[in-house]
């Protein structure tokens, strides 16, 4: 179903993200007293009394500022207004109206879209809400009756939800049932993650700035390509813990790690000029830890004279210097020119296929016989290991359960040997393999 879209707009620090969290019913948007925490537009699904809609959280809007970041945020808000079926203008009920509020109200009146006016941060006795001077001032904006709320305490939020569902169109049926590949884009700050997403989209969907740390929260972008669906999750740059001081950045990095946990495939973006760093290695270990399909993308390759020989040498250099993820395919892209993006999509589809792959029990047992015969684990306390059979217990990532006579004989090194042999025989490009062992009485694998 195609859901109606509701955009929440307003000047910085009026409590838009807190309001969004209330409307969604979860603490999803990052909230901080620091103005400008929200920069890109963020999309959330809301279900109220059986009515579903998409909510857009936007950055603080200043229609007149020429400051670069505020200008970029303004472009994002303007796109959200253009997309929306309903606009919510949020005011700060603890402060009087100012020229910024009036400029935003004028922009909303001119856009011709349905709107609701909300006065936030109204705390105290409910019966006295309408005696508040700042609520009365809101009538000057000529946007109808203001709705007083406290998004911090939830006051009047259910009434606002009722107004929203009364003001939005009904959902529209869509013919296509989407099977979406969820892809987290991760890496250190300023390696070009947001630029890559913008190049894939062919538009400036995400704010890009030369200063590191522009992306504050994980941003989801759905893309249809060749009748397949991809959900790219652009994340904040992951820095070393000792380099992180602001609470906002700590939240951002936590969200980035959460995005890895929830993804199917993770694209680790590296800077071709900087090469592999210790932080890249730690991110690779995180991808392995959470059992995700992984791809390493070397960005900014337009700045390096990469011929095929140099690409192979660069790939070998990376694989020789990582202890995890040596099975990740390594691609080369330029977020500036778009070179390598077609190959990137091919890698994503291949790794996704391997990540969801199932192997028949018959083929697994045939392979297990070969693997065990090639190298038997040493006996332990006079007890030798006997394999009975193996079966795949799940995909995402592919996981296999071996039934044996003595499970404690199987060491981690022997599990690594099994994984290596399975990978040689079955491939599993870019995906971890999990091995589990269980004791069982019965016939030996034969």
């Amino acid at each position: 179903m195609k859901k109606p879209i509701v955009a929440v707009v307003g000047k910085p620090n009026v409590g838009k993200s807190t309001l969004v969290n209330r409307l969604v019913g979860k603490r999803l948007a990052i909230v901080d007293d620091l103005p400008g925490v929200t920069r890109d537009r963020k999309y959330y699904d809301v279900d109220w009394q059986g009515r579903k809609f998409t909510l857009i959280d936007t950055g603080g809007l200043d229609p007149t500022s020429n400051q670069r970041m505020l200008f970029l945020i303004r472009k994002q808000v303007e796109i959200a207004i253009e997309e929306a079926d309903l606009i919510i203008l949020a005011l700060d009920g603890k402060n009087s109206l100012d020229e910024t509020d009036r400029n935003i109200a004028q922009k909303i009146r001119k856009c011709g879209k349905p709107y609701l006016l909300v006065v936030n941060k109204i705390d105290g006795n409910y019966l006295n809400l309408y005696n508040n001077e700042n609520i009365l001032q809101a009538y000057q904006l000529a946007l109808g009756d203001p709705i007083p709320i406290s998004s911090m305490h939830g006051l009047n939020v259910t009434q606002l939800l009722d107004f929203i569902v009364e003001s939005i169109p009904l959902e529209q049926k869509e013919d296509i049932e989407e099977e979406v590949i969820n892809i987290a884009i991760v890496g250190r700050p300023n390696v070009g993650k947001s630029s890559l997403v913008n190049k894939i989209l062919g538009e400036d969907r995400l704010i890009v700035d030369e200063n590191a740390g522009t992306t504050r929260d994980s941003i989801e972008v759905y893309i249809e390509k060749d009748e397949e669906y991809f959900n790219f999750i652009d994340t904040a740059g992951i820095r070393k813990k000792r380099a992180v001081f602001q609470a906002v950045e700590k939240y951002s990095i936590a969200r980035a790690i959460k995005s890895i946990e929830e993804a199917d495939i993770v694209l680790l973006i590296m800077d071709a000029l900087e090469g592999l760093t210790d932080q890249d290695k730690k991110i690779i270990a995180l991808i392995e830890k959470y059992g995700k399909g992984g791809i390493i993308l070397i960005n900014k390759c337009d700045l390096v004279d990469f011929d095929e020989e140099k690409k192979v040498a660069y790939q070998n250099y990376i694989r020789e210097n990582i202890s995890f993820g040596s099975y990740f395919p390594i691609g080369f892209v330029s977020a500036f020119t778009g070179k390598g993006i077609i190959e990137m999509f091919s890698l994503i589809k291949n790794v996704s296929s391997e990540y969801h792959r199932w192997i028949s029990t018959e083929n697994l047992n045939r392979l297990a016989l070969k693997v065990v015969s090639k190298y038997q684990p040493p006996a332990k306390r006079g007890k030798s290991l006997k394999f009975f059979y193996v079966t795949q217990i799940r995909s995402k990532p592919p996981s296999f359960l071996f039934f044996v006579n003595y499970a404690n004989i199987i060491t981690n090194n022997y599990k690594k040997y099994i994984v290596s042999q399975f990978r040689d025989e079955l491939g599993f490009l870019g995906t971890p393999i999990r091995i589990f062992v269980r004791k069982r009485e019965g016939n030996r694998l034969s």
Side-chain angles (χ1 to χ4, degrees):
M1 300 291 284
K2 184 179 180 182
K3 295 186 284 291
I5 296 175
V6 179
V8 179
V9 304
K11 68 185 180 185
N13 228 26
V14 297
K16 295 185 298 298
S17 294
T18 305
L19 173 58
V20 165
N21 286 336
R22 278 288 180 185
L23 295 174
V24 176
K26 297 178 183 178
R27 195 177 187 276
L28 298 178
I30 293 179
V31 177
D32 196 273
D33 290 336
L34 179 70
V37 171
T38 302
R39 292 176 173 178
D40 297 287
R41 58 192 197 273
K42 285 275 294 172
Y43 294 72
Y44 303 100
D45 291 327
V46 181
D47 187 338
W48 178 248
Q49 306 290 353
R51 291 291 306 279
K52 298 179 181 179
F53 60 92
T54 298
L55 191 66
I56 310 179
D57 186 20
T58 65
L61 180 59
D62 187 341
T64 60
S65 175
N66 291 320
Q67 184 181 332
R68 174 172 168 75
M69 183 54 65
L70 290 176
F71 170 78
L72 293 172
I73 291 172
R74 183 163 75 244
K75 299 299 290 184
Q76 293 290 311
V77 177
E78 288 171 352
I79 294 171
I81 290 173
E82 181 65 28
E83 288 183 300
D85 298 293
L86 175 70
I87 302 162
I88 297 175
L89 171 58
L91 305 178
D92 185 344
K94 290 186 175 179
N95 293 291
S96 301
L97 287 180
D98 61 19
E99 197 60 29
T100 300
D101 294 316
R102 293 184 175 89
N103 286 333
I104 298 171
Q106 183 180 26
K107 180 181 289 289
I108 291 173
R109 286 196 303 270
K110 287 183 176 180
C111 77
K113 299 285 185 76
Y115 50 77
L116 294 173
L117 178 62
V118 167
V119 183
N120 193 21
K121 304 184 183 180
I122 300 299
D123 305 316
N125 190 320
Y126 178 84
L127 295 177
N128 295 326
L129 285 177
Y130 293 95
N131 294 326
N132 185 293
E133 182 180 346
N134 292 332
I135 296 175
L136 297 176
Q137 280 189 1
Y139 282 98
Q140 298 175 17
L141 299 179
L143 292 177
D145 292 333
I147 305 168
I149 68 165
S150 170
S151 53
M152 178 66 70
H153 300 102
L155 183 62
N156 254 11
V157 172
T158 56
Q159 289 87 337
L160 174 58
L161 282 163
D162 288 337
F163 281 123
I164 291 172
V165 297
E166 290 172 5
S167 305
I168 57 177
L170 296 173
E171 296 175 82
Q172 298 177 1
K173 290 185 178 181
E174 291 184 313
D175 297 330
I176 300 173
E177 281 292 329
E178 300 178 8
E179 290 187 10
V180 180
I181 302 174
N182 293 298
I183 306 141
I185 301 179
V186 303
R188 294 176 294 108
N190 225 25
V191 294
K193 299 183 294 295
S194 298
S195 296
L196 179 62
V197 174
N198 285 343
K199 179 59 70 172
I200 293 168
L201 280 172
E203 64 174 272
D204 292 335
R205 167 67 174 81
L206 304 175
I207 292 177
V208 175
D209 191 78
E210 61 185 12
N211 294 317
T214 299
T215 300
R216 291 281 179 83
D217 202 352
S218 297
I219 311 295
E220 297 189 24
V221 178
Y222 285 88
I223 295 172
E224 178 186 356
K225 183 176 178 61
D226 300 329
E227 298 184 349
E228 295 189 79
Y229 297 88
F230 306 86
N231 178 30
F232 286 93
I233 309 164
D234 184 33
T235 65
I238 301 176
R239 294 201 292 166
K240 296 177 182 177
K241 286 184 178 179
R242 66 172 179 267
V244 177
F245 301 102
Q246 284 189 346
V248 170
E249 188 172 0
K250 290 180 182 178
Y251 294 147
S252 300
I253 292 174
R255 291 289 177 85
I257 295 172
K258 183 70 172 175
S259 296
I260 294 175
E261 191 175 355
E262 294 176 347
D264 300 309
I265 310 297
V266 180
L267 301 184
L268 170 60
I269 311 300
M270 289 173 44
D271 188 320
L273 298 176
E274 296 182 9
L276 183 71
T277 68
D278 288 341
Q279 190 65 6
D280 293 321
K281 295 177 184 179
K282 291 178 181 178
I283 296 172
I284 291 171
L286 277 176
I287 300 170
E288 164 72 23
K289 173 185 174 181
Y290 288 113
K292 304 302 176 179
I295 298 170
I296 297 173
L297 286 182
I298 311 303
N299 189 28
K300 306 182 184 179
C301 63
D302 54 296
L303 303 178
V304 180
D305 183 20
F306 274 124
D307 56 23
E308 288 306 313
E309 185 177 346
K310 289 180 181 177
K311 284 183 179 180
V312 172
Y314 205 105
Q315 291 169 332
N316 291 336
Y317 143 73
I318 291 173
R319 291 197 174 100
E320 288 168 2
N321 287 280
I322 56 178
S323 55
F324 296 100
S326 58
Y327 51 86
F328 290 172
I330 301 172
F332 296 82
V333 298
S334 168
F336 180 69
T337 67
K339 185 178 181 181
I341 287 179
I342 293 175
E343 292 80 2
M344 178 200 73
F345 273 102
S346 178
L347 282 177
I348 289 171
K349 288 188 281 189
N350 287 341
V351 172
S352 177
S353 176
E354 296 291 275
Y355 188 62
H356 291 82
R357 188 175 169 196
W358 283 86
I359 308 296
S360 71
T361 300
E362 179 183 357
N363 289 336
L364 281 174
N365 282 296
R366 189 181 299 117
L367 175 57
L369 268 175
K370 180 179 177 180
V371 170
V372 173
S373 300
K374 185 176 180 180
Y375 170 55
Q376 283 276 355
K380 189 173 183 180
R381 296 179 181 176
K383 298 177 180 178
S384 60
L385 185 70
K386 295 180 181 180
F387 280 94
F388 298 124
Y389 68 94
V390 58
T391 187
Q392 185 170 354
I393 54 175
R394 64 172 178 261
S395 62
K396 302 173 56 176
S399 303
F400 305 94
L401 177 61
F402 283 73
F403 289 92
V404 301
N405 58 342
Y406 297 110
N408 60 352
I409 294 179
I410 299 288
T411 63
N412 285 332
N413 282 338
Y414 196 75
K415 286 182 180 180
K416 291 178 181 178
Y417 161 73
I418 295 172
V419 168
S420 174
Q421 295 298 305
F422 270 36
R423 201 175 292 285
D424 286 345
E425 293 287 336
L426 300 173
F428 287 115
L429 175 73
T431 181
I433 297 173
R434 298 289 191 247
I435 300 296
F436 300 93
V437 181
R438 182 181 297 172
K439 179 179 178 180
R440 175 175 174 148
E441 304 295 336
N443 296 324
R444 186 175 181 176
L445 180 68
S446 59

